[in-house]
Amino acid sequence: MANLIEPSSFDLIVVGTGLPQCIVAAAAASNGHSVLHLDACDFYGSHWSSLPLQDFSDWCHSAGQLPFPSPIQITTPSNVSGTGASEVSNQNVSPSFERDTAAGEMVFQNGALPNNGSMPSSREFGDSFPENSTNGTTHSFAETSLYGSATTANASLQNGFLSPEPVTHTEEIVLNTNNLSLHDSTMEELGLQSEVVEERSSMYQDFHIMQDSIEDLGPSRRYCLDLAGPKLAYCGGSLVDLLLRSGANNYLEFKSLEASFMWSNGVLLPVPSSRADVFKDRTLINAEKRHLMRFFKLVVEHDSSNPDAPQISPEELESPFVKFLHERQVPLSVQSMILYAIALSNHKQGTVEEGGSHIMKTKEGLELLALYLSSVGRFVNSTGAFLYPLYGQGELPQAFSRSAAVKGALYALKMPIQSFLKDKVTGDFKGIKVSTTEQLIFSQKLVVGPTMLQTVCKAFNSDVLSVEGRNAAQESGEEKEAPKVVRGICITDKSLRADLCTLMVVFPPHCVTVQENGVIRALQLGSSVSVCPEGKFLVQLSMVCSNESVGIEALQRATQFLFNSRDSSSTADAEKPTLLWAAFYAHNEIYEGGADVLILCKVFGYNIQFL
Amino acid sequence: MHGRPRVTQTCDPARQKHEEEKAAKFQALLRQVLHNHRHRIFSKEALLQNAKLLELNPELYTAWNYRKVAVTHLLESQLDEAIRKSIVDNELEVVERALMRNYKSYGAWHHRKWVLHFGLSNLDKEYRLLDKLLTSDARNFHGWAYRRFLAGISKATEEQELQYTIKKINENFSNYSAWHSRSTLLSKQLQNNIIEKDTWLKVLTEEYDLVQQAFFTEPDDQSGWFYLLWLLSQTVFPSRPFVTGFWPPNGHSNLFDPNVPSMANCNILIFFSLPVCGVNSETVSMSSSSEGLNSEFKVSWISITDDSQFSKGWRAELTDCNKCLEAGMSLTLNVQVGAKPGITSRHGPLLGVHNLTVNIELGSSSCSAPEKHYSRITWPEECKQTSKFEDSPNDIFGCPSLPLQRHLEPLSEWQEKTLTNQINTCRELLELENDSKWAMLMLARLLVAYDQFASSSEHGMDEVQQLYKRLLEVDPTHQYYYNEQLSLIRFHQITVDLHESSEHFWRSDQTQNLWVRFNHLSLSKLGYFERLTGVQNLDLSKNKLQSLEGIEMLQFLVNLDVSNNHLTSITALRPVSHLPKLQALNIKWNEIGKHMIDKNRYLFPTVLNNSAKKHLKNNLNKEEGPVHWEVYEIFGRMLVLRQLDIHGNPISENEAFRSNLLLAVPSLVWLDAENVSTE
């Protein structure tokens, strides 16, 4: 068999090329572990990918099924991967990848992330992580990778920890936790039992496509439509730090979001975020400007460890952020901008008495605001606080895959798996069986995406998982019903603002629908980030909601606020863009038995920021 | 470009060697280029060498000059337009490379402007380069100046340029270069009558609104405040001079007596709010209404300061009046200041026209010839007996008291409204930011301006004093300035109704001299001298004066006491040297000679200017030892000085200084109670 994977044993098997899986793969590979990264699809990114218009349309029509091609190909994600990459049996490159390779070579001529200067340089991946191994965390790689799925792994990422204990150490942990040594068992199937993989595919539902024909929208390949948009990265956020530390920043390019606006009674109010914005803003009166600037200063300078710095009392830090804003005389109009367009709260912020849930605490709000303010101007050539990757969010998993491949990880696309191998005696994970070649590949650790989580939970000892899950459930308090997110993607003929290309519009709660408490965000992208042909604009929308159909209706109403519809040319407002094509769908976050875990799952959740 | 720490250079032998090699190469190249320059070699190779040199060091102006000569030479012999253009383009490239090395090189920028004057270059390219520069260094004033230059030759509309400034200000309102460019463009529009008066007021109102955004966003940023200052100067024209006073006062007599030396000349003095030029018999007309003398007087006007061009005080000497007048007769002169336009300060022409009438009388004094024997005067402080002088102040001022005239046009409604608005805005900001020093300072200045210009003075000076006292606490770095402002206000309050109160008038019982005494008042700055014009004896002792600036306005001063102050150098006495009648000067117990560095020295264009040289030439051969040039420069002008008390200053111990002094002032009789007269 020409397509067999060599060798047949790895330290770690990663299934699915979503962003979290790719980050884990990159981290593991850079720490000298042997990694096999598989994806059933012929493109990278799984549910994180960006598809051409035709593919996206097909995806919508198939109600969110990722297309699995039949022939098996093994490929490495980059031709630069020669150094440590394992043998590649088939050099076929998938079509969607061709374009990306070209994109990957345009390394930061114009992007926002410099390789030098004030940023930590992206040195060898191998020594960019080691501080993690010494920080005495309670997590271990074995736990996270075997049981936790990519989502848990990412949760630990956010705690500043990423798996990299030296190999020997790892084995100790494996011995401790699993009470089994791989080398003691023989590689024969006798001791193993197989668990058939049932991949859950109905993550999406309620598809509404507003215009079937995509023929007059220009070449399909010029579009990159994000499956899980809209998402943005804070310039000063953890994703950017991770990119720089891993060296993945060499494989993609960013543009900063040019402006943010708040929807207010039919008008788009600019969100002031820097002193230049406050200076320019003419809707604020003198005193409001002063209060706002003073508040920004407090956010940046407050420091409990320094008695000379402005202080915020612990009681205040625990109080609702909205109350704090009010007490600090932040202008009313700016309060909601800070809550929904800067701190990016997804839910209505009010007092508990007003029936608000998901109340943001002052501490949390201040941290987000400080992150935002430090993001503005972090990079010389980026004016705003947010970044969006050129060619869509699908570039992110690819960038991490590439840095994993450079460090020796083996990549195989179009490689669905049939079953997991399980130790009959202990019930531990032993490896996988590839469905097409029926090849057995051994490993003691596994990382999977959310769609396979259910199988993994069922098949293997889920103690660790439940512990993680319960904690998270407790933290989130009384939350019974897991949130759902509705998404929309529109193609328009011109920008919402003639002088801008990329921008975000935030609809504060209740201004579109009173049935839901969620915030609607609309992210306009254009040809400047190469996600659509020139003269066309993409607008991605999302809202957290409890009822999908109400949510989708709200998104549709929001698009009516923003755009003229194609057929109602008589009532059209000449200023507004015309909506050419749109699709709306509900993105289901709920997994039976695993809902609590996914609360940890910030990456694939409803938040607008990537990490 | 701002806020970058300086890197300390470490001494590394390898590096030093490298530097030396570089220097040697540079020297060789320099010699070659200078050789080419001398022999007028303009070959391609020579020009290349020159370009290389300028790339290494763009500050070599000689090298730029060589290029100018070479380019002129090459262009002269070349008629082909394409080749001419390529020559010019090559120059622009050389400049560009030089600017890469140092984009603040004057030589390079000059050369670029010079090259553009051939009109062979593509200005769009210039704009593109400039945009790049001003993006990377938005506050580069060379860039901004060059932009204005380009706008001038490319005939870009002012509107475009204004748009550009607002774009830059929106990007970063701390960019004063952009604000400044904006003010320049707006002024230009007004001067060229592109904007009409009414529109102009609207434009200014909008600008006030714009700049408000800046200081409410960040009250500590000075760019906006400086722009506000400019706006205010466009609103109430304090940059335009006005007449602050006359001598003799309107309608009063000027007594002169050829027999008394101090009254031998008949003087008319005019004082202005700012230094002005153009005061002459054309701009200030004088006519007599007396019969038989209806002809216009021709008089010469002389600056009373040592700047013969721009001066705040001008004196006309009517030397031949005595020919026209007999004892007891009087002559009435009608004087019109601003009869013809021409009197102008550095910033604008005189405001208004002023008329006054002056009577000139020939005194019938029976005084004998000038006294030959000068007896030492006693200073008020030393007098055993002094008494308050309660009689008419006329005796002190030489004229009756007069209500101070306002020589100003009243503020227009718009001006008054604008001033009030700005006062309110500053108060609003101060309510939000109690400690904003800029808001306090601006409010204080606005209140003073309002008090000075407005018809009704509602705002008391008390508030201004409170503001400056608060500023002293908040911003001690600038305490000297704030103290000076407080001193000025205090002096204003003392002098505003001086004629009414006799508190400061004293009679020395011994000499019967009438003194005006402002001693023991912690004054650090003086002003309002037009209120003191006729004073002959002035006591300013025991204050905190560091400077006597403006005292030259007191042209009738005979005796001056500035003992126990903080004068730090002889050069600080410069204004005193312009008092033509000064006989006795007391500078005891100051700090002259205490400080190594003379802060006033910069006021003297060259240390040895012509007059000092003359003195030195005359005296150097006689005297050996160190030369105190300032002694000749300052005391050499005091031609009638008889008495100098200098005891208590470190410099008075210096023998060389004393001997210099005696040489410089031959008229001196008493030096620190010692009779030094040669007779």
Side-chain angles (χ1 to χ4, degrees):
Chain A
M1 287 277 279
N3 288 333
L4 284 182
I5 292 168
E6 288 285 332
S8 60
S9 175
F10 291 87
D11 291 343
L12 171 68
I13 296 174
V14 183
V15 181
T17 51
L19 178 60
Q21 290 106 306
C22 291
I23 293 173
V24 172
S30 77
N31 282 282
H33 299 285
S34 59
V35 177
L36 174 65
H37 201 160
L38 305 169
D39 197 311
C41 302
D42 66 349
F43 53 86
Y44 282 85
S46 305
H47 299 279
W48 285 85
S49 51
S50 309
L51 300 179
L53 183 54
Q54 182 64 57
D55 296 16
F56 190 87
S57 171
D58 294 348
W59 178 78
C60 290
H61 284 286
S62 68
Q65 294 284 355
L66 288 178
F68 298 146
S70 45
I72 299 163
Q73 289 175 346
I74 303 176
T75 175
T76 51
S78 167
N79 4 5
V80 293
S81 65
T83 46
S86 309
E87 275 184 31
V88 176
S89 46
N90 189 337
Q91 272 289 0
N92 272 359
V93 176
S94 66
S96 73
F97 198 55
E98 251 166 350
R99 185 245 311 139
D100 298 322
T101 312
E105 282 161 8
M106 289 191 280
V107 180
F108 286 93
Q109 340 110 320
N110 194 19
L113 308 183
N115 276 326
N116 47 17
S118 60
M119 296 299 307
S121 72
S122 50
R123 287 165 292 147
E124 280 287 288
F125 195 13
D127 58 25
S128 58
F129 282 119
E131 69 260 36
N132 293 320
S133 58
T134 56
N135 66 1
T137 170
T138 55
H139 291 265
S140 81
F141 190 35
E143 285 166 358
T144 41
S145 55
L146 180 51
Y147 299 111
S149 84
T151 59
T152 353
N154 185 65
S156 32
L157 263 182
Q158 290 196 323
N159 298 334
F161 164 69
L162 196 58
S163 75
E165 259 120 278
V167 180
T168 50
H169 191 186
T170 310
E171 280 175 351
E172 269 174 39
I173 291 166
V174 170
L175 282 169
N176 291 342
T177 52
N178 296 343
N179 199 16
L180 179 107
S181 162
L182 182 70
H183 303 293
D184 290 347
S185 71
T186 52
M187 299 287 191
E188 52 189 348
E189 271 188 77
L190 284 175
L192 300 171
Q193 119 191 18
S194 88
E195 288 285 336
V196 177
V197 173
E198 292 167 22
E199 188 158 8
R200 190 194 155 91
S201 54
S202 58
M203 286 178 65
Y204 308 93
Q205 46 185 280
D206 276 2
F207 279 86
H208 293 69
I209 298 160
M210 273 177 62
Q211 174 82 31
D212 259 351
S213 163
I214 56 165
E215 272 157 28
D216 56 346
L217 295 176
S220 158
R221 294 240 152 247
R222 298 284 302 278
Y223 287 90
C224 301
L225 305 184
D226 298 339
L227 297 187
K231 288 208 185 294
L232 291 166
Y234 282 113
C235 289
S238 46
L239 177 69
V240 172
D241 289 340
L242 205 56
L243 281 166
L244 290 165
R245 278 165 60 200
S246 66
N249 62 325
N250 291 314
Y251 308 116
L252 81 173
E253 209 181 325
F254 286 95
K255 276 264 167 73
S256 75
L257 190 68
E258 289 164 44
S260 298
F261 295 91
M262 195 84 172
W263 177 267
S264 169
N265 298 322
V267 185
L268 294 182
L269 297 180
V271 175
S273 56
S274 61
R275 58 199 280 283
D277 289 345
V278 177
F279 169 74
K280 272 186 284 187
D281 193 301
R282 291 307 183 93
T283 59
L284 298 168
I285 61 164
N286 288 342
E288 288 180 331
K289 288 197 171 186
R290 197 76 287 283
H291 288 308
L292 183 57
M293 285 303 293
R294 224 188 293 173
F295 180 73
F296 281 165
K297 200 171 167 222
L298 173 75
V299 171
V300 175
E301 290 180 359
H302 85 94
D303 180 2
S304 55
S305 61
N306 179 2
D308 293 335
Q311 298 291 320
I312 299 171
S313 72
E315 297 80 49
E316 274 184 303
L317 287 176
E318 291 301 315
S319 70
F321 192 39
V322 62
K323 191 175 153 226
F324 182 76
L325 291 174
H326 193 71
E327 280 165 2
R328 297 289 164 146
Q329 289 173 292
V330 175
L332 265 181
S333 59
V334 180
Q335 283 187 16
S336 61
M337 288 181 181
I338 288 178
L339 289 169
Y340 306 118
I342 292 178
L344 300 180
S345 163
N346 289 305
H347 303 275
K348 178 168 169 54
Q349 297 294 312
T351 52
V352 182
E353 298 85 68
E354 285 166 31
S357 56
H358 296 95
I359 301 296
M360 188 183 272
K361 282 181 185 169
T362 300
K363 190 169 186 272
E364 198 186 338
L366 286 179
E367 274 165 13
L368 283 164
L369 194 47
L371 172 62
Y372 183 88
L373 292 175
S374 68
S375 291
V376 176
R378 177 179 184 184
F379 304 111
V380 182
N381 46 6
S382 110
T383 48
F386 296 112
L387 295 175
Y388 183 83
L390 252 66
Y391 299 104
Q393 68 184 30
E395 290 300 298
L396 275 167
Q398 294 198 49
F400 282 103
S401 304
R402 242 161 254 197
S403 60
V406 167
K407 295 293 173 185
L410 180 65
Y411 275 77
L413 292 183
K414 299 187 192 175
M415 190 69 79
I417 52 175
Q418 190 185 62
S419 54
F420 296 122
L421 307 178
K422 183 175 172 182
D423 188 294
K424 271 178 184 163
V425 185
T426 60
D428 289 326
F429 172 76
K430 284 294 168 195
I432 56 159
K433 187 175 183 184
V434 177
S435 58
T436 41
T437 57
E438 305 210 331
Q439 185 191 359
L440 298 182
I441 302 167
F442 300 101
S443 171
Q444 43 183 335
K445 294 176 211 103
L446 172 72
V447 170
V448 296
T451 47
M452 265 180 220
L453 187 69
Q454 214 185 334
T455 317
V456 177
C457 291
K458 221 161 57 189
F460 299 102
N461 179 352
S462 61
D463 281 355
V464 183
L465 172 71
S466 347
V467 170
E468 294 262 356
R470 252 175 247 130
N471 288 343
Q474 278 152 14
E475 272 171 36
S476 69
E478 76 290 344
E479 182 67 16
K480 290 277 183 287
E481 202 174 353
K484 295 156 191 158
V485 60
V486 284
R487 302 191 194 278
I489 193 153
C490 307
I491 298 172
T492 65
D493 65 341
K494 66 176 182 187
S495 172
L496 285 161
R497 279 292 163 102
D499 50 337
L500 299 171
C501 183
T502 59
L503 58 91
M504 176 165 72
V505 178
V506 178
F507 295 84
H510 296 183
C511 80
V512 178
T513 176
V514 288
Q515 286 165 274
E516 291 283 350
N517 283 334
V519 179
I520 298 179
R521 293 206 182 80
L523 175 67
Q524 176 182 281
L525 302 167
S527 55
S528 74
V529 283
S530 307
V531 294
C532 60
E534 220 161 293
K536 297 282 188 294
F537 290 86
L538 282 189
V539 180
Q540 307 174 342
L541 301 107
S542 73
M543 179 174 85
V544 182
C545 61
S546 48
N547 182 315
E548 296 93 330
S549 49
V550 174
I552 285 179
E553 212 176 290
L555 292 191
Q556 285 171 336
R557 196 168 317 150
T559 56
Q560 285 162 16
F561 286 161
L562 295 174
F563 314 119
N564 296 318
S565 79
R566 213 174 196 184
D567 35 298
S568 66
S569 51
S570 55
T571 59
D573 178 348
E575 294 289 300
K576 286 184 185 175
T578 303
L579 184 58
L580 304 175
W581 184 89
F584 299 93
Y585 53 96
H587 190 159
N588 219 332
E589 302 283 339
I590 310 161
Y591 306 98
E592 291 149 38
D596 38 5
V597 178
L598 283 157
I599 292 161
L600 278 172
C601 166
K602 265 196 158 174
V603 268
F604 201 39
Y606 42 76
N607 283 315
I608 192 168
Q609 68 265 41
F610 284 106
L611 287 177
Chain B
M1 307 306 135
H2 295 259
R4 286 189 191 175
R6 184 187 289 271
V7 185
T8 42
Q9 304 260 336
T10 47
C11 190
D12 172 17
R15 188 200 159 95
Q16 202 177 347
K17 189 157 174 265
H18 178 71
E19 296 283 322
E20 274 166 15
E21 279 168 16
K22 251 170 78 178
K25 268 186 203 163
F26 180 81
Q27 290 295 341
L29 193 60
L30 179 64
R31 273 194 295 277
Q32 184 60 46
V33 167
L34 290 178
H35 175 264
N36 292 342
H37 194 8
R38 206 168 296 125
H39 296 88
R40 294 179 61 80
I41 301 167
F42 302 130
S43 67
K44 212 167 213 170
E45 197 202 343
L47 277 165
L48 272 177
Q49 282 170 338
N50 180 284
K52 208 170 149 196
L53 186 70
L54 284 170
E55 202 182 330
L56 290 170
N57 181 5
E59 304 302 319
L60 274 170
Y61 210 88
T62 308
W64 290 116
N65 275 339
Y66 164 77
R67 289 202 84 82
K68 290 191 179 73
V69 176
V71 168
T72 318
H73 173 82
L74 292 174
L75 286 178
E76 265 168 14
S77 55
Q78 193 55 255
L79 290 172
D80 183 348
E81 200 62 19
I83 297 176
R84 284 168 68 89
K85 193 170 171 345
S86 76
I87 292 170
V88 169
D89 284 348
N90 181 46
E91 287 309 294
L92 292 179
E93 257 171 56
V94 171
V95 175
E96 209 178 312
R97 278 203 299 277
L99 286 176
M100 293 282 191
R101 167 139 312 227
N102 175 10
Y103 50 56
K104 287 191 174 168
S105 163
Y106 282 87
W109 285 109
H110 281 312
H111 194 67
R112 199 166 189 91
K113 286 184 187 174
W114 180 81
V115 170
L116 283 198
H117 272 302
F118 289 104
L120 293 165
S121 321
N122 178 0
L123 293 182
D124 289 345
K125 197 186 159 208
E126 294 302 293
Y127 273 113
R128 275 200 301 280
L129 279 171
L130 200 52
D131 270 348
K132 242 183 181 169
L133 172 80
L134 289 180
T135 306
S136 69
D137 183 13
R139 290 182 264 200
N140 185 335
F141 63 89
H142 289 276
W144 283 96
Y146 189 63
R147 198 174 165 98
R148 287 195 291 275
F149 165 81
L150 278 185
I153 57 171
S154 73
K155 304 279 181 291
T157 64
E158 260 101 19
E159 205 41 55
Q160 285 170 336
E161 290 299 298
L162 281 172
Q163 283 302 323
Y164 184 77
T165 62
I166 199 71
K167 182 180 155 231
K168 283 292 177 191
I169 290 169
N170 276 339
E171 279 170 19
N172 178 6
F173 64 85
S174 302
N175 182 349
Y176 185 67
S177 296
W179 288 106
H180 170 254
S181 211
R182 196 167 174 77
S183 63
T184 318
L185 289 163
L186 285 171
S187 308
K188 213 168 125 200
Q189 278 193 325
L190 185 70
Q191 272 163 24
N192 301 347
N193 293 322
I194 295 167
I195 302 185
E196 292 192 3
K197 187 84 204 267
D198 288 352
T199 334
W200 174 245
L201 297 188
K202 235 175 87 192
V203 168
L204 283 183
T205 312
E206 278 165 20
E207 295 299 302
Y208 273 115
D209 187 47
L210 177 71
V211 77
Q212 240 177 58
Q213 313 301 322
F215 54 73
F216 271 94
T217 306
E218 206 168 303
D220 291 341
D221 191 276
Q222 57 186 15
S223 303
W225 292 108
F226 281 130
Y227 191 67
L228 180 65
L229 278 181
W230 175 77
L231 284 176
L232 286 171
S233 75
Q234 297 303 302
T235 308
V236 287
F237 312 119
S239 58
R240 290 183 63 184
F242 51 88
V243 175
T244 56
F246 299 108
W247 178 266
N250 190 11
H252 291 278
S253 301
N254 191 348
L255 215 61
F256 82 102
D257 189 338
N259 298 325
V260 183
S262 60
M263 297 167 76
N265 285 330
C266 178
N267 287 330
I268 294 177
L269 297 166
I270 311 177
F271 300 105
F272 297 91
S273 62
L274 291 170
V276 294
C277 68
V279 178
N280 52 43
S281 51
E282 297 265 302
T283 54
V284 183
S285 71
M286 266 189 219
S287 57
S288 160
S289 56
S290 306
E291 284 173 43
L293 267 169
N294 225 350
S295 62
E296 292 197 352
F297 274 81
K298 291 275 182 252
V299 276
S300 55
W301 288 91
I302 308 158
S303 152
I304 62 173
T305 62
D306 56 354
D307 186 338
S308 57
Q309 267 206 310
F310 283 91
S311 170
K312 280 169 96 169
W314 290 84
R315 181 178 68 217
E317 282 188 13
L318 311 182
T319 37
D320 43 0
C321 291
N322 51 347
K323 288 177 195 156
C324 322
L325 284 172
E326 287 168 27
M329 279 178 65
S330 78
L331 170 69
T332 305
L333 282 178
N334 292 320
V335 183
Q336 192 174 41
V337 186
K340 281 184 186 166
I343 301 178
T344 165
S345 77
R346 287 189 175 86
H347 307 287
L350 182 72
L351 271 171
V353 175
H354 302 266
N355 290 302
L356 78 153
T357 51
V358 179
N359 294 318
I360 297 173
E361 286 172 32
L362 186 61
S364 49
S365 146
S366 55
C367 261
S368 54
E371 46 180 324
K372 283 208 174 100
H373 178 70
Y374 178 84
S375 55
R376 187 173 184 277
I377 66 150
T378 38
W379 301 104
E381 202 66 19
E382 302 164 346
C383 284
K384 289 199 180 79
Q385 283 175 311
T386 50
S387 53
K388 282 245 167 122
F389 176 71
E390 312 270 355
D391 297 345
S392 158
N394 291 10
D395 296 341
I396 284 182
F397 292 99
C399 71
S401 67
L402 275 178
L404 258 172
Q405 299 156 282
R406 290 199 176 265
H407 302 283
L408 281 170
E409 290 167 335
L411 290 179
S412 73
E413 197 187 324
W414 178 80
Q415 286 173 317
E416 189 142 2
K417 205 180 101 200
T418 308
L419 272 186
T420 320
N421 276 349
Q422 292 311 307
I423 287 172
N424 292 338
T425 307
C426 284
R427 287 200 169 127
E428 186 192 351
L429 182 55
L430 268 179
E431 248 165 57
L432 295 164
E433 294 289 318
N434 299 322
D435 288 349
S436 166
K437 64 169 185 171
W438 278 103
M440 279 191 259
L441 182 60
M442 194 56 74
L443 180 57
R445 286 178 174 178
L446 279 164
L447 289 174
V448 170
Y450 195 88
D451 189 66
Q452 198 178 357
F453 290 99
S455 46
S456 63
S457 164
E458 300 158 19
H459 311 284
M461 281 290 131
D462 290 349
E463 189 181 352
V464 179
Q465 275 175 311
Q466 288 307 317
L467 284 167
Y468 279 121
K469 279 177 187 158
R470 186 91 186 81
L471 277 166
L472 276 173
E473 291 165 25
V474 176
D475 181 26
T477 319
H478 299 106
Q479 53 171 313
Y480 284 105
Y481 176 77
Y482 302 136
N483 272 323
E484 283 186 358
Q485 297 307 308
L486 279 170
S487 166
L488 264 184
I489 294 168
R490 198 195 223 118
F491 203 60
H492 161 74
Q493 287 167 338
I494 292 169
T495 54
V496 70
D497 44 6
L498 195 59
H499 292 259
E500 269 74 53
S501 91
S502 54
E503 198 188 328
H504 299 282
F505 303 151
W506 297 79
R507 183 199 295 276
S508 142
D509 289 347
Q510 260 173 317
T511 53
Q512 296 295 304
N513 277 341
L514 294 179
W515 286 85
V516 177
R517 297 189 69 182
F518 300 123
N519 54 342
H520 252 305
L521 290 169
S522 298
L523 298 172
S524 57
K525 191 176 172 70
L526 305 175
Y528 308 99
F529 288 106
E530 67 275 2
R531 298 171 182 174
L532 301 171
T533 308
V535 172
Q536 297 189 342
N537 306 305
L538 182 62
D539 177 10
L540 293 168
S541 63
K542 296 190 174 164
N543 281 306
K544 292 176 176 170
L545 295 172
Q546 288 190 313
S547 148
L548 296 172
E549 205 186 315
I551 210 161
E552 68 271 18
M553 297 294 154
L554 306 182
Q555 289 281 300
F556 299 97
L557 265 190
V558 177
N559 299 312
L560 175 63
D561 187 351
V562 284
S563 60
N564 283 295
N565 273 293
H566 297 322
L567 300 174
T568 55
S569 65
I570 292 293
T571 47
L573 296 171
R574 181 147 118 144
V576 178
S577 69
H578 299 293
L579 299 173
K581 299 179 193 231
L582 190 73
Q583 291 191 358
L585 176 64
N586 185 2
I587 48 172
K588 279 197 291 196
W589 303 108
N590 272 286
E591 296 166 11
I592 297 169
K594 188 176 164 191
H595 302 280
M596 289 297 288
I597 290 163
D598 179 358
K599 283 189 274 183
N600 295 303
R601 192 168 164 159
Y602 72 92
L603 292 168
F604 295 84
T606 57
V607 167
L608 296 174
N609 66 12
N610 289 336
S611 61
K613 258 188 214 153
K614 198 173 71 194
H615 283 291
L616 286 181
K617 249 184 211 160
N618 291 346
N619 297 306
L620 269 183
N621 42 7
K622 296 180 200 164
E623 195 56 46
E624 283 179 19
V627 176
H628 290 262
W629 62 272
E630 69 271 28
V631 172
Y632 296 96
E633 181 68 34
I634 304 296
F635 288 106
R637 294 166 189 268
M638 301 186 194
L639 299 176
V640 293
L641 189 70
R642 302 298 178 87
Q643 177 180 342
L644 178 64
D645 288 11
I646 198 168
H647 174 73
N649 288 291
I651 203 164
S652 64
E653 310 289 315
N654 187 327
E655 270 309 314
F657 170 76
R658 283 179 87 90
S659 54
N660 274 219
L661 192 64
L662 292 177
L663 282 171
V665 200
S667 61
L668 205 61
V669 179
W670 295 98
L671 179 59
D672 281 336
E674 182 191 340
N675 193 326
V676 291
S677 64
T678 44
E679 287 156 29

